[in-house]
């Protein structure tokens, strides 16, 4: 028996906001610590969190999902349509203390189902070299590394998975 549940979440909810803050803080701090030996400047952190609330992850062309462990928010993932056949997987995140308990694969599989429900036939994503755990997860779940699908200045690896019915 699992203690995990995954369900859609409004992007403007307090839960979504808290998960976005935790996600962005972690990936930003990891980048700055690796490249500049410091954490993210607090003013920059607030500016970026405020600027990217995730409206593109709302229906009808997107979906934000929240994983809960024993009823408590533990992680999130989002999908958004890029075109009629392609959705992008984004913001895959699990709180550090909840990692290793099976939540990330559940989130990604739920995001795949949400992408199918949006009409997508393939899912793409990007990630960075230092996010080794993410790259390992995607490979384990059947994603293959591919050519870039965007020009994100922080993206270093791009993955794709065909969504079969």
């Amino acid at each position: 028996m699992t203690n995990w549940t995954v369900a859609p979440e409004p992007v403007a909810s307090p839960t979504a906001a808290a998960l976005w803050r935790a996600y962005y803080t972690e990936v930003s701090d990891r980048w700055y610590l690796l490249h500049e030996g410091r954490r993210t400047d607090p003013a920059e952190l607030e500016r970026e969190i405020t600027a990217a609330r995730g409206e593109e992850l709302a229906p009808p062309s997107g979906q934000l999902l929240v994983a809960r462990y024993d009823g408590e928010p533990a992680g999130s993932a989002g999908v958004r349509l890029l075109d009629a056949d392609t959705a992008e997987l984004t913001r895959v995140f699990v709180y550090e203390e909840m990692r290793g308990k099976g939540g990330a694969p559940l989130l990604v599989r739920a995001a795949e189902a949400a992408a199918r429900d949006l009409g997508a036939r393939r899912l793409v994503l990007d990630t960075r070299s230092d996010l080794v755990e993410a790259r390992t997860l995607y490979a384990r779940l059947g994603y293959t590394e591919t050519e870039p699908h965007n020009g994100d200045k922080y993206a270093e690896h791009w993955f794709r998975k065909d969504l079969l019915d």
Side-chain angles (χ1 to χ4, degrees), residues 20-36 38-42 44-46 48-49 128 130-131 154:
W20 167 231
R21 174 174 291 280
Y23 166 87
Y24 190 84
T25 300
E26 181 174 330
V27 297
S28 183
D29 280 352
R30 282 178 68 162
W31 191 89
Y32 277 112
L33 286 167
L34 179 66
H35 295 282
E36 297 185 13
R38 65 174 178 87
R39 295 196 179 280
T40 310
D41 174 82
E44 177 190 355
L45 188 66
E46 290 308 314
E48 294 302 319
I49 288 170
R128 300 190 323 233
D130 64 304
L131 300 177
Y154 296 108

PDB file of all heavy atoms in Angstrom, residues 20-36 38-42 44-46 48-49 128 130-131 154:
ATOM      1  N   TRP A  20       6.489  25.765  -5.660  1.00  0.00           N
ATOM      2  CA  TRP A  20       7.250  26.527  -6.651  1.00  0.00           C
ATOM      3  C   TRP A  20       8.426  27.229  -5.978  1.00  0.00           C
ATOM      4  O   TRP A  20       9.547  27.203  -6.472  1.00  0.00           O
ATOM      5  CB  TRP A  20       6.332  27.515  -7.371  1.00  0.00           C
ATOM      6  CG  TRP A  20       7.028  28.564  -8.198  1.00  0.00           C
ATOM      7  CD1 TRP A  20       6.810  29.897  -8.145  1.00  0.00           C
ATOM      8  CD2 TRP A  20       8.018  28.378  -9.223  1.00  0.00           C
ATOM      9  NE1 TRP A  20       7.615  30.555  -9.055  1.00  0.00           N
ATOM     10  CE2 TRP A  20       8.367  29.639  -9.722  1.00  0.00           C
ATOM     11  CE3 TRP A  20       8.667  27.264  -9.735  1.00  0.00           C
ATOM     12  CZ2 TRP A  20       9.322  29.831 -10.719  1.00  0.00           C
ATOM     13  CZ3 TRP A  20       9.619  27.457 -10.733  1.00  0.00           C
ATOM     14  CH2 TRP A  20       9.934  28.713 -11.219  1.00  0.00           C
ATOM     15  N   ARG A  21       8.185  27.839  -4.825  1.00  0.00           N
ATOM     16  CA  ARG A  21       9.265  28.520  -4.091  1.00  0.00           C
ATOM     17  C   ARG A  21      10.370  27.530  -3.714  1.00  0.00           C
ATOM     18  O   ARG A  21      11.552  27.801  -3.903  1.00  0.00           O
ATOM     19  CB  ARG A  21       8.705  29.203  -2.847  1.00  0.00           C
ATOM     20  CG  ARG A  21       9.781  29.828  -1.942  1.00  0.00           C
ATOM     21  CD  ARG A  21       9.147  30.614  -0.812  1.00  0.00           C
ATOM     22  NE  ARG A  21       8.488  31.798  -1.311  1.00  0.00           N
ATOM     23  CZ  ARG A  21       9.124  32.937  -1.632  1.00  0.00           C
ATOM     24  NH1 ARG A  21      10.426  33.024  -1.496  1.00  0.00           N
ATOM     25  NH2 ARG A  21       8.451  33.970  -2.087  1.00  0.00           N
ATOM     26  N   ALA A  22       9.997  26.381  -3.201  1.00  0.00           N
ATOM     27  CA  ALA A  22      10.987  25.372  -2.803  1.00  0.00           C
ATOM     28  C   ALA A  22      11.769  24.865  -4.016  1.00  0.00           C
ATOM     29  O   ALA A  22      13.000  24.732  -3.961  1.00  0.00           O
ATOM     30  CB  ALA A  22      10.309  24.221  -2.077  1.00  0.00           C
ATOM     31  N   TYR A  23      11.049  24.576  -5.105  1.00  0.00           N
ATOM     32  CA  TYR A  23      11.695  24.106  -6.337  1.00  0.00           C
ATOM     33  C   TYR A  23      12.688  25.142  -6.846  1.00  0.00           C
ATOM     34  O   TYR A  23      13.854  24.844  -7.092  1.00  0.00           O
ATOM     35  CB  TYR A  23      10.626  23.825  -7.412  1.00  0.00           C
ATOM     36  CG  TYR A  23      11.174  23.657  -8.800  1.00  0.00           C
ATOM     37  CD1 TYR A  23      11.612  22.418  -9.257  1.00  0.00           C
ATOM     38  CD2 TYR A  23      11.264  24.736  -9.673  1.00  0.00           C
ATOM     39  CE1 TYR A  23      12.127  22.257 -10.537  1.00  0.00           C
ATOM     40  CE2 TYR A  23      11.768  24.582 -10.948  1.00  0.00           C
ATOM     41  CZ  TYR A  23      12.198  23.349 -11.372  1.00  0.00           C
ATOM     42  OH  TYR A  23      12.709  23.196 -12.644  1.00  0.00           O
ATOM     43  N   TYR A  24      12.216  26.368  -7.046  1.00  0.00           N
ATOM     44  CA  TYR A  24      13.077  27.397  -7.632  1.00  0.00           C
ATOM     45  C   TYR A  24      14.272  27.693  -6.730  1.00  0.00           C
ATOM     46  O   TYR A  24      15.394  27.842  -7.214  1.00  0.00           O
ATOM     47  CB  TYR A  24      12.294  28.680  -7.923  1.00  0.00           C
ATOM     48  CG  TYR A  24      13.127  29.622  -8.751  1.00  0.00           C
ATOM     49  CD1 TYR A  24      13.180  29.483 -10.132  1.00  0.00           C
ATOM     50  CD2 TYR A  24      13.922  30.586  -8.155  1.00  0.00           C
ATOM     51  CE1 TYR A  24      13.994  30.300 -10.898  1.00  0.00           C
ATOM     52  CE2 TYR A  24      14.738  31.408  -8.902  1.00  0.00           C
ATOM     53  CZ  TYR A  24      14.766  31.268 -10.278  1.00  0.00           C
ATOM     54  OH  TYR A  24      15.590  32.070 -11.032  1.00  0.00           O
ATOM     55  N   THR A  25      14.047  27.751  -5.428  1.00  0.00           N
ATOM     56  CA  THR A  25      15.149  28.010  -4.500  1.00  0.00           C
ATOM     57  C   THR A  25      16.214  26.926  -4.624  1.00  0.00           C
ATOM     58  O   THR A  25      17.410  27.224  -4.711  1.00  0.00           O
ATOM     59  CB  THR A  25      14.626  28.088  -3.050  1.00  0.00           C
ATOM     60  OG1 THR A  25      13.667  29.150  -2.962  1.00  0.00           O
ATOM     61  CG2 THR A  25      15.753  28.335  -2.064  1.00  0.00           C
ATOM     62  N   GLU A  26      15.797  25.670  -4.680  1.00  0.00           N
ATOM     63  CA  GLU A  26      16.774  24.589  -4.766  1.00  0.00           C
ATOM     64  C   GLU A  26      17.549  24.605  -6.075  1.00  0.00           C
ATOM     65  O   GLU A  26      18.775  24.545  -6.067  1.00  0.00           O
ATOM     66  CB  GLU A  26      16.111  23.224  -4.580  1.00  0.00           C
ATOM     67  CG  GLU A  26      17.152  22.108  -4.656  1.00  0.00           C
ATOM     68  CD  GLU A  26      16.605  20.738  -4.341  1.00  0.00           C
ATOM     69  OE1 GLU A  26      15.653  20.630  -3.561  1.00  0.00           O
ATOM     70  OE2 GLU A  26      17.171  19.774  -4.881  1.00  0.00           O
ATOM     71  N   VAL A  27      16.855  24.686  -7.207  1.00  0.00           N
ATOM     72  CA  VAL A  27      17.590  24.621  -8.480  1.00  0.00           C
ATOM     73  C   VAL A  27      18.447  25.866  -8.695  1.00  0.00           C
ATOM     74  O   VAL A  27      19.543  25.774  -9.248  1.00  0.00           O
ATOM     75  CB  VAL A  27      16.684  24.334  -9.700  1.00  0.00           C
ATOM     76  CG1 VAL A  27      16.023  22.962  -9.576  1.00  0.00           C
ATOM     77  CG2 VAL A  27      15.683  25.417  -9.945  1.00  0.00           C
ATOM     78  N   SER A  28      17.979  27.012  -8.243  1.00  0.00           N
ATOM     79  CA  SER A  28      18.762  28.232  -8.372  1.00  0.00           C
ATOM     80  C   SER A  28      19.994  28.190  -7.463  1.00  0.00           C
ATOM     81  O   SER A  28      21.113  28.483  -7.899  1.00  0.00           O
ATOM     82  CB  SER A  28      17.893  29.446  -8.046  1.00  0.00           C
ATOM     83  OG  SER A  28      18.615  30.635  -8.235  1.00  0.00           O
ATOM     84  N   ASP A  29      19.793  27.818  -6.203  1.00  0.00           N
ATOM     85  CA  ASP A  29      20.926  27.722  -5.284  1.00  0.00           C
ATOM     86  C   ASP A  29      21.952  26.711  -5.779  1.00  0.00           C
ATOM     87  O   ASP A  29      23.159  26.956  -5.705  1.00  0.00           O
ATOM     88  CB  ASP A  29      20.469  27.344  -3.878  1.00  0.00           C
ATOM     89  CG  ASP A  29      19.926  28.520  -3.087  1.00  0.00           C
ATOM     90  OD1 ASP A  29      20.024  29.677  -3.557  1.00  0.00           O
ATOM     91  OD2 ASP A  29      19.398  28.277  -1.979  1.00  0.00           O
ATOM     92  N   ARG A  30      21.500  25.574  -6.289  1.00  0.00           N
ATOM     93  CA  ARG A  30      22.447  24.569  -6.793  1.00  0.00           C
ATOM     94  C   ARG A  30      23.271  25.146  -7.939  1.00  0.00           C
ATOM     95  O   ARG A  30      24.475  24.919  -8.008  1.00  0.00           O
ATOM     96  CB  ARG A  30      21.714  23.303  -7.241  1.00  0.00           C
ATOM     97  CG  ARG A  30      21.298  22.436  -6.064  1.00  0.00           C
ATOM     98  CD  ARG A  30      20.541  21.212  -6.460  1.00  0.00           C
ATOM     99  NE  ARG A  30      21.338  20.226  -7.177  1.00  0.00           N
ATOM    100  CZ  ARG A  30      20.991  18.963  -7.327  1.00  0.00           C
ATOM    101  NH1 ARG A  30      19.856  18.507  -6.821  1.00  0.00           N
ATOM    102  NH2 ARG A  30      21.760  18.135  -7.987  1.00  0.00           N
ATOM    103  N   TRP A  31      22.644  25.902  -8.838  1.00  0.00           N
ATOM    104  CA  TRP A  31      23.371  26.476  -9.969  1.00  0.00           C
ATOM    105  C   TRP A  31      24.392  27.498  -9.476  1.00  0.00           C
ATOM    106  O   TRP A  31      25.556  27.455  -9.855  1.00  0.00           O
ATOM    107  CB  TRP A  31      22.394  27.128 -10.958  1.00  0.00           C
ATOM    108  CG  TRP A  31      23.077  27.493 -12.247  1.00  0.00           C
ATOM    109  CD1 TRP A  31      23.218  26.715 -13.345  1.00  0.00           C
ATOM    110  CD2 TRP A  31      23.738  28.734 -12.538  1.00  0.00           C
ATOM    111  NE1 TRP A  31      23.926  27.396 -14.310  1.00  0.00           N
ATOM    112  CE2 TRP A  31      24.260  28.633 -13.841  1.00  0.00           C
ATOM    113  CE3 TRP A  31      23.940  29.914 -11.820  1.00  0.00           C
ATOM    114  CZ2 TRP A  31      24.959  29.666 -14.446  1.00  0.00           C
ATOM    115  CZ3 TRP A  31      24.646  30.946 -12.420  1.00  0.00           C
ATOM    116  CH2 TRP A  31      25.147  30.816 -13.718  1.00  0.00           C
ATOM    117  N   TYR A  32      23.957  28.420  -8.622  1.00  0.00           N
ATOM    118  CA  TYR A  32      24.873  29.453  -8.136  1.00  0.00           C
ATOM    119  C   TYR A  32      26.001  28.866  -7.291  1.00  0.00           C
ATOM    120  O   TYR A  32      27.151  29.302  -7.395  1.00  0.00           O
ATOM    121  CB  TYR A  32      24.125  30.541  -7.358  1.00  0.00           C
ATOM    122  CG  TYR A  32      23.512  31.576  -8.264  1.00  0.00           C
ATOM    123  CD1 TYR A  32      22.141  31.678  -8.399  1.00  0.00           C
ATOM    124  CD2 TYR A  32      24.312  32.451  -8.997  1.00  0.00           C
ATOM    125  CE1 TYR A  32      21.569  32.626  -9.243  1.00  0.00           C
ATOM    126  CE2 TYR A  32      23.754  33.394  -9.840  1.00  0.00           C
ATOM    127  CZ  TYR A  32      22.389  33.483  -9.963  1.00  0.00           C
ATOM    128  OH  TYR A  32      21.839  34.416 -10.801  1.00  0.00           O
ATOM    129  N   LEU A  33      25.717  27.892  -6.454  1.00  0.00           N
ATOM    130  CA  LEU A  33      26.777  27.271  -5.657  1.00  0.00           C
ATOM    131  C   LEU A  33      27.797  26.584  -6.558  1.00  0.00           C
ATOM    132  O   LEU A  33      29.007  26.682  -6.315  1.00  0.00           O
ATOM    133  CB  LEU A  33      26.185  26.283  -4.645  1.00  0.00           C
ATOM    134  CG  LEU A  33      25.491  26.931  -3.447  1.00  0.00           C
ATOM    135  CD1 LEU A  33      24.666  25.905  -2.681  1.00  0.00           C
ATOM    136  CD2 LEU A  33      26.505  27.611  -2.531  1.00  0.00           C
ATOM    137  N   LEU A  34      27.337  25.928  -7.597  1.00  0.00           N
ATOM    138  CA  LEU A  34      28.235  25.233  -8.519  1.00  0.00           C
ATOM    139  C   LEU A  34      29.073  26.210  -9.335  1.00  0.00           C
ATOM    140  O   LEU A  34      30.275  26.017  -9.511  1.00  0.00           O
ATOM    141  CB  LEU A  34      27.424  24.329  -9.458  1.00  0.00           C
ATOM    142  CG  LEU A  34      28.220  23.546 -10.498  1.00  0.00           C
ATOM    143  CD1 LEU A  34      29.129  22.518  -9.814  1.00  0.00           C
ATOM    144  CD2 LEU A  34      27.264  22.846 -11.465  1.00  0.00           C
ATOM    145  N   HIS A  35      28.447  27.276  -9.835  1.00  0.00           N
ATOM    146  CA  HIS A  35      29.116  28.171 -10.780  1.00  0.00           C
ATOM    147  C   HIS A  35      29.730  29.420 -10.152  1.00  0.00           C
ATOM    148  O   HIS A  35      30.664  29.987 -10.722  1.00  0.00           O
ATOM    149  CB  HIS A  35      28.149  28.578 -11.899  1.00  0.00           C
ATOM    150  CG  HIS A  35      27.732  27.420 -12.734  1.00  0.00           C
ATOM    151  ND1 HIS A  35      28.534  26.881 -13.714  1.00  0.00           N
ATOM    152  CD2 HIS A  35      26.605  26.672 -12.732  1.00  0.00           C
ATOM    153  CE1 HIS A  35      27.920  25.859 -14.278  1.00  0.00           C
ATOM    154  NE2 HIS A  35      26.757  25.701 -13.695  1.00  0.00           N
ATOM    155  N   GLU A  36      29.207  29.852  -9.008  1.00  0.00           N
ATOM    156  CA  GLU A  36      29.698  31.095  -8.415  1.00  0.00           C
ATOM    157  C   GLU A  36      30.035  30.964  -6.932  1.00  0.00           C
ATOM    158  O   GLU A  36      30.439  31.945  -6.313  1.00  0.00           O
ATOM    159  CB  GLU A  36      28.687  32.224  -8.631  1.00  0.00           C
ATOM    160  CG  GLU A  36      28.480  32.534 -10.112  1.00  0.00           C
ATOM    161  CD  GLU A  36      27.565  33.721 -10.351  1.00  0.00           C
ATOM    162  OE1 GLU A  36      27.268  34.471  -9.381  1.00  0.00           O
ATOM    163  OE2 GLU A  36      27.154  33.910 -11.505  1.00  0.00           O
ATOM    164  N   ARG A  38      28.116  30.626  -4.348  1.00  0.00           N
ATOM    165  CA  ARG A  38      27.206  31.353  -3.451  1.00  0.00           C
ATOM    166  C   ARG A  38      25.778  30.900  -3.712  1.00  0.00           C
ATOM    167  O   ARG A  38      25.477  30.283  -4.714  1.00  0.00           O
ATOM    168  CB  ARG A  38      27.305  32.856  -3.686  1.00  0.00           C
ATOM    169  CG  ARG A  38      26.820  33.266  -5.083  1.00  0.00           C
ATOM    170  CD  ARG A  38      26.789  34.783  -5.262  1.00  0.00           C
ATOM    171  NE  ARG A  38      26.382  35.168  -6.598  1.00  0.00           N
ATOM    172  CZ  ARG A  38      25.118  35.335  -6.991  1.00  0.00           C
ATOM    173  NH1 ARG A  38      24.134  35.145  -6.148  1.00  0.00           N
ATOM    174  NH2 ARG A  38      24.831  35.697  -8.235  1.00  0.00           N
ATOM    175  N   ARG A  39      24.892  31.234  -2.789  1.00  0.00           N
ATOM    176  CA  ARG A  39      23.462  30.975  -2.967  1.00  0.00           C
ATOM    177  C   ARG A  39      22.851  32.109  -3.799  1.00  0.00           C
ATOM    178  O   ARG A  39      23.473  33.143  -4.012  1.00  0.00           O
ATOM    179  CB  ARG A  39      22.763  30.868  -1.616  1.00  0.00           C
ATOM    180  CG  ARG A  39      23.234  29.667  -0.821  1.00  0.00           C
ATOM    181  CD  ARG A  39      22.271  29.368   0.323  1.00  0.00           C
ATOM    182  NE  ARG A  39      22.713  28.213   1.058  1.00  0.00           N
ATOM    183  CZ  ARG A  39      22.517  26.946   0.693  1.00  0.00           C
ATOM    184  NH1 ARG A  39      21.879  26.681  -0.415  1.00  0.00           N
ATOM    185  NH2 ARG A  39      22.965  25.955   1.429  1.00  0.00           N
ATOM    186  N   THR A  40      21.617  31.912  -4.206  1.00  0.00           N
ATOM    187  CA  THR A  40      20.906  32.917  -4.984  1.00  0.00           C
ATOM    188  C   THR A  40      20.712  34.180  -4.161  1.00  0.00           C
ATOM    189  O   THR A  40      20.364  34.118  -2.980  1.00  0.00           O
ATOM    190  CB  THR A  40      19.520  32.376  -5.395  1.00  0.00           C
ATOM    191  OG1 THR A  40      19.682  31.092  -5.974  1.00  0.00           O
ATOM    192  CG2 THR A  40      18.842  33.312  -6.393  1.00  0.00           C
ATOM    193  N   ASP A  41      20.931  35.315  -4.781  1.00  0.00           N
ATOM    194  CA  ASP A  41      20.665  36.594  -4.131  1.00  0.00           C
ATOM    195  C   ASP A  41      19.169  36.656  -3.783  1.00  0.00           C
ATOM    196  O   ASP A  41      18.325  36.378  -4.636  1.00  0.00           O
ATOM    197  CB  ASP A  41      21.033  37.724  -5.107  1.00  0.00           C
ATOM    198  CG  ASP A  41      20.654  39.070  -4.564  1.00  0.00           C
ATOM    199  OD1 ASP A  41      21.421  39.614  -3.757  1.00  0.00           O
ATOM    200  OD2 ASP A  41      19.571  39.574  -4.951  1.00  0.00           O
ATOM    201  N   PRO A  42      18.819  36.998  -2.533  1.00  0.00           N
ATOM    202  CA  PRO A  42      17.406  37.001  -2.127  1.00  0.00           C
ATOM    203  C   PRO A  42      16.511  37.878  -3.006  1.00  0.00           C
ATOM    204  O   PRO A  42      15.371  37.505  -3.297  1.00  0.00           O
ATOM    205  CB  PRO A  42      17.443  37.511  -0.682  1.00  0.00           C
ATOM    206  CG  PRO A  42      18.810  37.137  -0.199  1.00  0.00           C
ATOM    207  CD  PRO A  42      19.714  37.279  -1.403  1.00  0.00           C
ATOM    208  N   GLU A  44      16.940  38.583  -6.207  1.00  0.00           N
ATOM    209  CA  GLU A  44      16.756  37.868  -7.473  1.00  0.00           C
ATOM    210  C   GLU A  44      15.764  36.723  -7.296  1.00  0.00           C
ATOM    211  O   GLU A  44      14.891  36.503  -8.129  1.00  0.00           O
ATOM    212  CB  GLU A  44      18.085  37.312  -7.988  1.00  0.00           C
ATOM    213  CG  GLU A  44      17.900  36.502  -9.253  1.00  0.00           C
ATOM    214  CD  GLU A  44      19.131  35.734  -9.670  1.00  0.00           C
ATOM    215  OE1 GLU A  44      20.200  35.889  -9.042  1.00  0.00           O
ATOM    216  OE2 GLU A  44      19.015  34.962 -10.639  1.00  0.00           O
ATOM    217  N   LEU A  45      15.911  36.002  -6.199  1.00  0.00           N
ATOM    218  CA  LEU A  45      15.016  34.886  -5.918  1.00  0.00           C
ATOM    219  C   LEU A  45      13.561  35.358  -5.895  1.00  0.00           C
ATOM    220  O   LEU A  45      12.699  34.783  -6.568  1.00  0.00           O
ATOM    221  CB  LEU A  45      15.403  34.250  -4.576  1.00  0.00           C
ATOM    222  CG  LEU A  45      14.716  32.962  -4.218  1.00  0.00           C
ATOM    223  CD1 LEU A  45      15.121  31.843  -5.163  1.00  0.00           C
ATOM    224  CD2 LEU A  45      15.064  32.578  -2.792  1.00  0.00           C
ATOM    225  N   GLU A  46      13.282  36.421  -5.173  1.00  0.00           N
ATOM    226  CA  GLU A  46      11.902  36.943  -5.094  1.00  0.00           C
ATOM    227  C   GLU A  46      11.415  37.413  -6.451  1.00  0.00           C
ATOM    228  O   GLU A  46      10.272  37.156  -6.826  1.00  0.00           O
ATOM    229  CB  GLU A  46      11.815  38.071  -4.067  1.00  0.00           C
ATOM    230  CG  GLU A  46      11.957  37.606  -2.645  1.00  0.00           C
ATOM    231  CD  GLU A  46      11.017  36.471  -2.269  1.00  0.00           C
ATOM    232  OE1 GLU A  46       9.812  36.534  -2.595  1.00  0.00           O
ATOM    233  OE2 GLU A  46      11.486  35.499  -1.661  1.00  0.00           O
ATOM    234  N   GLU A  48      12.333  36.397  -9.484  1.00  0.00           N
ATOM    235  CA  GLU A  48      12.097  35.268 -10.389  1.00  0.00           C
ATOM    236  C   GLU A  48      10.893  34.431  -9.963  1.00  0.00           C
ATOM    237  O   GLU A  48      10.127  33.967 -10.810  1.00  0.00           O
ATOM    238  CB  GLU A  48      13.347  34.398 -10.493  1.00  0.00           C
ATOM    239  CG  GLU A  48      14.519  35.098 -11.154  1.00  0.00           C
ATOM    240  CD  GLU A  48      14.215  35.593 -12.555  1.00  0.00           C
ATOM    241  OE1 GLU A  48      13.542  34.865 -13.329  1.00  0.00           O
ATOM    242  OE2 GLU A  48      14.630  36.715 -12.884  1.00  0.00           O
ATOM    243  N   ILE A  49      10.723  34.229  -8.670  1.00  0.00           N
ATOM    244  CA  ILE A  49       9.563  33.473  -8.183  1.00  0.00           C
ATOM    245  C   ILE A  49       8.275  34.215  -8.532  1.00  0.00           C
ATOM    246  O   ILE A  49       7.300  33.615  -8.990  1.00  0.00           O
ATOM    247  CB  ILE A  49       9.683  33.203  -6.662  1.00  0.00           C
ATOM    248  CG1 ILE A  49      10.765  32.144  -6.417  1.00  0.00           C
ATOM    249  CG2 ILE A  49       8.345  32.772  -6.070  1.00  0.00           C
ATOM    250  CD1 ILE A  49      11.137  31.960  -4.962  1.00  0.00           C
ATOM    251  N   ARG A 128      19.496  20.198 -16.420  1.00  0.00           N
ATOM    252  CA  ARG A 128      20.903  20.609 -16.376  1.00  0.00           C
ATOM    253  C   ARG A 128      21.790  19.420 -16.042  1.00  0.00           C
ATOM    254  O   ARG A 128      21.347  18.429 -15.471  1.00  0.00           O
ATOM    255  CB  ARG A 128      21.097  21.687 -15.309  1.00  0.00           C
ATOM    256  CG  ARG A 128      20.275  22.924 -15.543  1.00  0.00           C
ATOM    257  CD  ARG A 128      20.658  24.056 -14.613  1.00  0.00           C
ATOM    258  NE  ARG A 128      21.006  23.644 -13.271  1.00  0.00           N
ATOM    259  CZ  ARG A 128      20.462  24.136 -12.170  1.00  0.00           C
ATOM    260  NH1 ARG A 128      19.521  25.047 -12.219  1.00  0.00           N
ATOM    261  NH2 ARG A 128      20.854  23.719 -10.989  1.00  0.00           N
ATOM    262  N   ASP A 130      24.056  19.255 -13.693  1.00  0.00           N
ATOM    263  CA  ASP A 130      24.212  19.041 -12.254  1.00  0.00           C
ATOM    264  C   ASP A 130      22.995  18.377 -11.617  1.00  0.00           C
ATOM    265  O   ASP A 130      23.084  17.893 -10.497  1.00  0.00           O
ATOM    266  CB  ASP A 130      24.545  20.355 -11.535  1.00  0.00           C
ATOM    267  CG  ASP A 130      23.432  21.382 -11.622  1.00  0.00           C
ATOM    268  OD1 ASP A 130      23.028  21.715 -12.755  1.00  0.00           O
ATOM    269  OD2 ASP A 130      22.977  21.867 -10.569  1.00  0.00           O
ATOM    270  N   LEU A 131      21.886  18.305 -12.319  1.00  0.00           N
ATOM    271  CA  LEU A 131      20.687  17.658 -11.769  1.00  0.00           C
ATOM    272  C   LEU A 131      20.705  16.181 -12.158  1.00  0.00           C
ATOM    273  O   LEU A 131      19.840  15.669 -12.868  1.00  0.00           O
ATOM    274  CB  LEU A 131      19.430  18.373 -12.260  1.00  0.00           C
ATOM    275  CG  LEU A 131      19.350  19.860 -11.866  1.00  0.00           C
ATOM    276  CD1 LEU A 131      18.121  20.515 -12.459  1.00  0.00           C
ATOM    277  CD2 LEU A 131      19.382  20.038 -10.356  1.00  0.00           C
ATOM    278  N   TYR A 154      19.795  27.820 -19.325  1.00  0.00           N
ATOM    279  CA  TYR A 154      20.249  26.902 -18.287  1.00  0.00           C
ATOM    280  C   TYR A 154      20.128  25.433 -18.699  1.00  0.00           C
ATOM    281  O   TYR A 154      20.629  24.561 -18.007  1.00  0.00           O
ATOM    282  CB  TYR A 154      19.488  27.136 -16.980  1.00  0.00           C
ATOM    283  CG  TYR A 154      19.744  28.506 -16.406  1.00  0.00           C
ATOM    284  CD1 TYR A 154      18.759  29.486 -16.435  1.00  0.00           C
ATOM    285  CD2 TYR A 154      20.980  28.836 -15.854  1.00  0.00           C
ATOM    286  CE1 TYR A 154      18.996  30.752 -15.920  1.00  0.00           C
ATOM    287  CE2 TYR A 154      21.222  30.102 -15.349  1.00  0.00           C
ATOM    288  CZ  TYR A 154      20.231  31.045 -15.377  1.00  0.00           C
ATOM    289  OH  TYR A 154      20.469  32.297 -14.876  1.00  0.00           O
TER     290      TYR A 154
END
